[in-house]
Amino acid sequence: MMAGSLRFLLLSLCVLLEPVTEIGGLLLKPVLSGPSEAYVRSEVQFDCAVPGWSSPLTYELYKDAGGVIAAENNVKATFTLEVNEGSKGEYYCRLTAGGQTSNSIHFQAVIPVLGVRLSSDPDPAILYEGQKLVLRCLVRKGTHLSFTWYHNKQEVNSSSELHRLSGDSLTMDRATEMHAGIYSCTARNQMTVNPRFSSSQSLHVTVRKHISVPSLSFTVFSNGSCPTANISCRSERGSPPVTFRLMLDGLELHVKRVDSLEAWFVLPISVGLDLGVAQCEAQTETQQLLSDPERLLVVPVGGAVRVTVMYLHDADGMVAAARLSCVPDRGTFPTFSWHLNHSSLPAEGAYAVTHHGQILILTEVSAGFYGCRARDSFNDSSLWVKSKDIFIQKTDLSATPMEVIALVFCGFLSIVIVFCSFFMFWSSKCRNNTCKHHSNQDVIQSEMITMDAPVADVSSEPQPVEMKMVIMEFDS
């Protein structure tokens, strides 16, 4: 390419520096005209003439720094060429008289596009979220090409945030679910006239989701006389396939590779016997996750069974429904049964049973004695454990209106005020009586002290004493 550029510069210098041909006192400089591009296996024409000249001249056509391609004597020389892959280059013409050189034309031999296909990295185009994907639009033949990409039959915009375009490649740096789908590309010859194009076949890109941490759960069923645990290992989200492993106390028991997000394992158990701690492991090409531990212990139903009640009220504070729960003291897999007034619940009624029969919801509360019973769900021959019956009555469950609450509160407050007033009055009266009693005692004591005390002399002179004789007569 560098050699061609040097040849073009040398030819340009020759054109600029070479003396102009002079015939009859006129300066003659030829001009070359023709196409700048054409498909291979097609024909093109180059015309060489001196503007304003009407007499025949001999013109020679040259390419790059090579020899003469063709020569013609005419007023305007027309050179017809069949285009092939070697036809590209710099073309110019020259007058034989004086060797004057024309302008040059840079000609491109365009190969029609053919055989377009898609390639992907990784191959096949299956990857996980966050991985990088590069698609390339490959052509078997073709030059001077431009590329157009399609995702789910929609043209990919060069400014898209999801994709990055560069030449014949389409790159997704961090794949997401939005990148999944059908891709195709079209390669087109960049021609002003009659552009040709070729399209690839569709390529399906799969973007897998990362799986979530698996969870382990199990149920028990009776297979004859031997109870068996049906163990589930499940991931809530992700893309299969997934390899699940069942671990017991850290040792691998079973392995399953499934095209889903759940695998089941069967393990014989003994009721009341602790088999150990179970875990399940979920593995994909990019992840390896372990579930929380779960102890494999099945406790039979036993102890007391109780019924708890929760009342549900409407916006007006009235009882709208009642929620009854049957709660046994112990039991890993219980089954439940409800009765009303010592009889089974009617087949149809204003009630609903949920949570495997443990919860009874009365949508219309009717008075009666309600009770439940429980036993092992995996053993049909196990005995039922019954609860005590409780009496449910709607009038007793009705919510107290606000007016009644206010009346009761006011009555209670009045009683408190009257009692406090009576207590204060009684306390005050008691204090007054006590004080009066103490005052009378003080007065009496004072008088007694005055009477017993000697009378003091108030004068220094002696006072005369009047003596009286009393004669008493007695009858004989």
Side-chain angles (χ1 to χ4, degrees):
M1 184 174 180
M2 185 176 293
S5 300
L6 293 175
R7 288 196 296 269
F8 175 70
L9 292 175
L10 292 175
L11 290 173
S12 301
L13 289 174
C14 292
V15 171
L16 294 174
L17 299 177
E18 189 170 356
V20 180
T21 302
E22 183 177 348
I23 299 178
L26 297 177
L27 299 177
L28 304 179
K29 179 173 176 60
V31 175
L32 181 66
S33 60
S36 61
E37 59 187 12
Y39 289 112
V40 295
R41 293 190 296 275
S42 64
E43 290 186 349
V44 295
Q45 290 182 344
F46 291 99
D47 294 328
C48 189
V50 176
W53 190 257
S54 58
S55 299
L57 295 173
T58 301
Y59 298 95
E60 295 175 338
L61 181 65
Y62 291 85
K63 174 179 174 291
D64 296 331
V68 177
I69 297 176
E72 183 178 341
N73 184 268
N74 206 334
V75 176
K76 181 177 71 171
T78 299
F79 303 101
T80 302
L81 300 177
E82 183 176 353
V83 181
N84 54 45
E85 294 184 13
S87 298
K88 65 178 182 179
E90 298 288 335
Y91 288 84
Y92 58 94
C93 65
R94 179 180 297 172
L95 291 173
T96 57
Q100 176 62 18
T101 302
S102 70
N103 61 295
S104 63
I105 294 177
H106 182 71
F107 179 77
Q108 295 286 347
V110 180
I111 301 175
V113 63
L114 182 66
V116 176
R117 63 181 180 87
L118 276 179
S119 70
S120 68
D121 182 18
D123 185 19
I126 301 174
L127 63 159
Y128 283 88
E129 294 172 317
Q131 289 185 319
K132 183 178 181 179
L133 174 66
V134 179
L135 301 179
R136 291 195 62 198
C137 192
L138 304 178
V139 297
R140 185 158 56 89
K141 288 184 179 181
T143 57
H144 300 82
L145 301 175
S146 64
F147 300 90
T148 305
W149 289 89
Y150 299 91
H151 178 208
N152 294 330
K153 298 184 179 180
Q154 299 293 324
E155 183 176 345
V156 176
N157 194 327
S158 59
S159 60
S160 171
E161 296 180 355
L162 297 176
H163 308 92
R164 181 162 52 88
L165 298 175
S166 177
D168 63 349
S169 65
L170 175 67
T171 303
M172 289 151 272
D173 294 307
R174 293 184 60 85
T176 65
E177 288 184 84
M178 300 180 64
H179 290 107
I182 305 298
Y183 286 83
S184 63
C185 71
T186 298
R188 188 185 308 269
N189 292 116
Q190 294 177 322
M191 295 286 288
T192 305
V193 179
N194 190 24
R196 299 182 183 181
F197 63 89
S198 177
S199 298
S200 69
Q201 292 184 344
S202 298
L203 176 67
H204 184 77
V205 173
T206 301
V207 180
R208 292 176 176 169
K209 301 177 185 178
H210 288 299
I211 60 172
S212 59
V213 176
S215 61
L216 184 147
S217 62
F218 71 98
T219 58
V220 176
F221 65 94
S222 180
N223 185 10
S225 60
C226 180
T228 304
N230 203 9
I231 302 173
S232 166
C233 290
R234 175 178 175 81
S235 292
E236 291 298 328
R237 68 176 299 271
S239 298
V242 182
T243 300
F244 289 99
R245 290 180 174 85
L246 177 62
M247 320 285 289
L248 186 61
D249 291 334
L251 299 178
E252 181 181 297
L253 292 183
H254 302 285
V255 179
K256 284 187 179 181
R257 179 178 175 86
V258 294
D259 288 326
S260 64
L261 296 177
E262 186 174 20
W264 292 88
F265 302 94
V266 176
L267 191 67
I269 63 169
S270 297
V271 177
L273 179 62
D274 190 351
L275 298 183
V277 176
Q279 286 180 287
C280 64
E281 181 186 82
Q283 182 179 358
T284 63
E285 296 177 359
T286 59
Q287 292 177 282
Q288 188 171 352
L289 304 173
L290 198 62
S291 72
D292 291 333
E294 181 76 18
R295 186 165 292 279
L296 292 182
L297 174 61
V298 179
V299 178
V301 173
V305 176
R306 299 179 305 279
V307 176
T308 61
V309 183
M310 182 176 67
Y311 307 118
L312 307 176
H313 305 86
D314 57 18
D316 298 326
M318 301 298 294
V319 171
R323 182 180 185 271
L324 284 68
S325 300
C326 189
V327 183
D329 280 347
R330 61 179 181 269
T332 307
F333 298 104
T335 185
F336 302 92
S337 174
W338 290 90
H339 56 266
L340 171 61
N341 296 327
H342 307 289
S343 299
S344 299
L345 291 175
E348 296 182 359
Y351 66 87
V353 179
T354 62
H355 290 72
H356 305 287
Q358 185 176 12
I359 306 298
L360 173 64
I361 299 177
L362 303 177
T363 55
E364 292 182 5
V365 179
S366 58
F369 290 90
Y370 289 84
C372 71
R373 57 182 184 169
R375 73 175 184 184
D376 293 322
S377 61
F378 54 86
N379 187 1
D380 295 338
S381 61
S382 60
L383 298 178
W384 289 100
V385 182
K386 297 182 179 180
S387 71
K388 292 182 179 180
D389 293 343
I390 60 172
F391 184 71
I392 302 294
Q393 187 175 6
K394 187 171 185 179
T395 55
D396 295 337
L397 298 177
S398 299
T400 305
M402 294 303 296
E403 293 83 358
V404 177
I405 295 176
L407 182 61
V408 171
F409 178 75
C410 292
F412 174 76
L413 184 62
S414 300
I415 294 174
V416 171
I417 293 174
V418 171
F419 177 78
C420 291
S421 300
F422 175 77
F423 179 77
M424 293 177 63
F425 174 77
W426 180 79
S427 299
S428 175
K429 185 176 180 180
C430 289
R431 285 197 301 271
N432 292 335
N433 293 334
T434 302
C435 293
K436 186 179 291 185
H437 177 71
H438 287 305
S439 177
N440 292 335
Q441 288 182 349
D442 292 341
V443 171
I444 294 172
Q445 291 177 359
S446 175
E447 291 178 352
M448 293 177 64
I449 294 172
T450 304
M451 293 176 64
D452 295 339
V455 179
D457 291 339
V458 296
S459 176
S460 59
E461 296 180 358
Q463 297 294 332
V465 178
E466 184 176 356
M467 300 294 292
K468 291 183 177 180
M469 180 177 293
V470 178
I471 299 174
M472 301 181 66
E473 293 182 359
F474 298 94
D475 293 334
S476 55

